[in-house]
Amino acid sequence: MTELIVVSSPRMRYMKWIGGGIFKTYLPAVSGSISGSMYILSIPYGAGYNYPMFDNTKRGQQFSFASPPSSTILSRVSIYMCRVGNPTGTAYVNLYSDNNGVPGSVIASIGSVDVSTIPTSFSYVTFTPASPPSINAGTKYWIVFEYTPPNSSNDINLWRRSSDVYADHLGARYSGGSWVTSQYDHVMDITLGNIPTPLIVNLDFQYFGVATRRLEAAVTQSSNVTLDSILVNGVNIGTSLAKITDIPQATSYTIQHNYSVPTTAGTWHNWSITSSIQRYLYYNKTSIMLDELNLSEAYIQKVTFLANGTTLIIDDNPDTMLTGNSGASVTFTEKLPFRKLEWVTGSGEVEIVGYE
């Protein structure tokens, strides 16, 4: 129950007792940040019809984006589809180059899906590449969905619009060994740039004294970022982390910041978020007894007041009340024994010499 103990002889000890609800910074702050840009190219759901894969083992959608930026990455593709019957096997989504208005060669794998897991009602199924491929502004590419169903009763259907909703870009199907294009587009969302991921800050808190560990996060973010939650070692503590907040006591911490950014299609969203985590020691004990110090006798050497209007009472005796404002101190040249100390108001530090 003591702090900053220095042993000077086998029986005598010097110590400092801090109490009354005082916070002290502990080691420098640890910071983390994350930023990015995201664009959603959407061919939205609307009037159209279900388009089976049977007899058409590949279906493609042409797309491009305009500068700026001059280049970016393809981060995610969500295709509107459903399952018919009980098809089996794996469907693949690939990024193709453009070859005079039809899909050319495969540039990168975007993902795959076990077709038995695709919903039986139309839904967006999302594919995320393990290594997002780079693409260039002003260049046309193709998203191609590939699957060979066993028959028309066990199939995968995509949703195809019945009008040209994505001007100057084509839809296509692979049939009879060649590509057949159409002005009608397949419903899908293509995400370019950086998909927001949680901001993680890791830090050590190797402390073994009597104080309670506390953390405080100073979070700054761009105006389009909404902070949704902060998790401390997996515990959700809300959208702010202040030093007055109770947290799990541990020797290391992972602080996860969950946030959201706009998902409006057709515009680039630039975002950033930074968090600086300060470690604190919280001395919240307001009183202490001699036996808690494991001493047979103890004497006050100095009292330092850490808040305005602070009052320390010795041995529950009103005649021994000491009062002071922040920064003031009292030093005793004669031994002042005690058996109990209590911060009645405010907080402070007491320097003690004691004997075992």
Side-chain angles (χ1 to χ4, degrees), residues 161-208:
R161 295 297 300 269
S162 56
S163 60
D164 184 10
V165 295
Y166 189 14
D168 300 322
H169 294 82
L170 302 171
R173 60 185 176 88
Y174 191 75
S175 179
S178 62
W179 287 99
V180 179
T181 61
S182 168
Q183 63 180 342
Y184 302 139
D185 304 295
H186 295 95
V187 172
M188 64 179 65
D189 287 343
I190 303 170
T191 302
L192 309 180
N194 309 105
I195 298 174
T197 57
L199 169 60
I200 305 293
V201 179
N202 294 306
L203 54 86
D204 289 327
F205 208 144
Q206 299 289 335
Y207 168 77
F208 302 99

Side-chain angles (χ1 to χ4, degrees), residues 50-67:
N50 54 330
Y51 209 31
M53 291 297 297
F54 186 66
D55 287 338
N56 299 276
T57 57
K58 301 177 185 179
R59 292 197 179 278
Q61 177 61 51
Q62 193 181 51
F63 76 97
S64 65
F65 73 97
S67 179

